[in-house]
Amino acid sequence: ALGFYTRVRLNDTPYIYYLSDYPDLDSSKLILKCIDDMLVPKFNNYIFYVHKLGHYDIVFIYNILLKTNIDKGYEYYIIKTTMRDNKIIKLDIKIKKISNTIGNKYNFIKISLVDSYNLLNYSLDKLTNEFNIETKKGNFPHRFVNKNTLNYIGNKPDISFFDNITLKEYINIPDIDWNLKSQCLKYLTKDLKGLFEVMNEFSRLIYIHFNIQMVDYLTIT
């Protein structure tokens, strides 16, 4: 699953995408749909924070954008990377759009993906607690997920499939009609909103105490 969250949407819901909604479980289509939905005029020049971007997500995103450019035969996605210690900590993605069909004038739409882990070097679960954020991560059985269980509905998975869950938390999960897709998207929604709220609060504190704009920097140093 993949998604992004801003406060632009009136109903305050994230944009979310799930693998089984795409033919042949093609993850490249899922990623491109998400990126294309971000590369629109209302998000032009937006910074999207991705926790541990350089440690995980960037591998999938970057490779698929490069492959798409090769398949198209030209640089449709204009990509610029910012590196630190052999890891990508910022990825700028830009596309060219025709702004005026008379004379074929172009403008650009650009977004930036920034690794929030270099600003806040803790797990998202710890950050939501430390910053006293309303949205908490929740629990999800990552090891239960494979291509055969993407649309599983049935008894809840055994506690051994969950990480860092207490017996009380596990007991409170309904025993029957447990739906992996809905639980995954619920978990993802909490992640997206939780990180959004953490970055907002961190940005506010940094500005109040140091008169610094968080968006002007890529690392805590």
Side-chain angles (χ1 to χ4, degrees):
L2 186 65
F4 66 97
Y5 179 72
T6 77
R7 284 274 165 82
V8 172
R9 248 184 179 177
L10 294 178
N11 59 4
D12 198 40
T13 58
Y15 296 75
I16 50 179
Y17 312 86
Y18 192 72
L19 186 57
S20 66
D21 294 333
Y22 295 83
D24 303 320
L25 303 181
D26 188 345
S27 60
S28 64
K29 289 184 172 63
L30 175 146
I31 290 174
L32 291 174
K33 172 62 175 167
C34 181
I35 295 295
D36 288 341
D37 284 351
M38 298 162 85
L39 285 166
V40 295
K42 66 181 175 181
F43 298 136
N44 188 34
N45 290 320
Y46 266 44
I47 294 173
F48 292 90
Y49 288 96
V50 188
H51 211 53
K52 297 188 179 180
L53 172 73
H55 295 258
Y56 186 72
D57 298 289
I58 196 62
V59 175
F60 303 100
I61 297 170
Y62 189 76
N63 285 343
I64 286 171
L65 293 177
L66 287 180
K67 184 179 184 302
T68 302
N69 284 346
I70 292 171
D71 292 342
K72 286 180 177 290
Y74 69 102
E75 193 179 23
Y76 177 78
Y77 296 105
I78 304 166
I79 304 169
K80 177 185 175 184
T81 60
T82 302
M83 308 287 293
R84 182 192 186 201
D85 298 331
N86 295 319
K87 287 189 175 63
I88 296 174
I89 62 173
K90 181 183 180 185
L91 179 68
D92 295 323
I93 307 169
K94 188 164 60 172
I95 58 172
K96 184 163 59 173
K97 292 284 189 180
I98 297 177
S99 59
N100 185 349
T101 54
I102 300 174
N104 289 328
K105 293 183 179 179
Y106 293 92
N107 59 14
F108 292 91
I109 298 173
K110 173 192 164 189
I111 60 170
S112 298
L113 307 183
V114 171
D115 194 340
S116 54
Y117 194 70
N118 292 300
L119 291 166
L120 294 167
N121 193 355
Y122 297 96
S123 69
L124 184 54
D125 185 41
K126 182 175 177 63
L127 289 173
T128 55
N129 287 311
E130 291 291 331
F131 281 95
N132 197 27
I133 298 303
E134 182 179 353
T135 304
K136 307 298 183 184
K137 268 187 73 71
N139 296 295
F140 185 72
H142 294 88
R143 286 191 295 275
F144 184 74
V145 180
N146 59 62
K147 67 179 182 179
N148 297 316
T149 62
L150 290 175
N151 293 302
Y152 171 86
I153 300 175
N155 295 333
K156 67 180 176 184
D158 187 78
I159 192 172
S160 62
F161 290 105
F162 293 82
D163 291 318
N164 303 317
I165 189 173
T166 66
L167 182 58
K168 182 179 179 181
E169 288 171 330
Y170 180 75
I171 291 172
N172 287 334
I173 299 172
D175 289 323
I176 58 175
D177 295 329
W178 188 90
N179 185 312
L180 188 139
K181 179 179 179 178
S182 66
Q183 290 299 317
C184 179
L185 296 182
K186 180 179 177 181
Y187 181 78
L188 173 60
T189 296
K190 288 182 176 182
D191 266 14
L192 295 171
K193 285 190 172 184
L195 182 59
F196 181 93
E197 292 168 15
V198 164
M199 300 311 291
N200 263 350
E201 179 63 9
F202 180 61
S203 177
R204 186 184 71 85
L205 293 172
I206 287 292
Y207 184 76
I208 288 173
H209 293 291
F210 303 103
N211 195 29
I212 288 174
Q213 294 286 358
M214 178 189 73
V215 295
D216 291 336
Y217 300 91
L218 296 177
T219 67
I220 194 63
T221 340

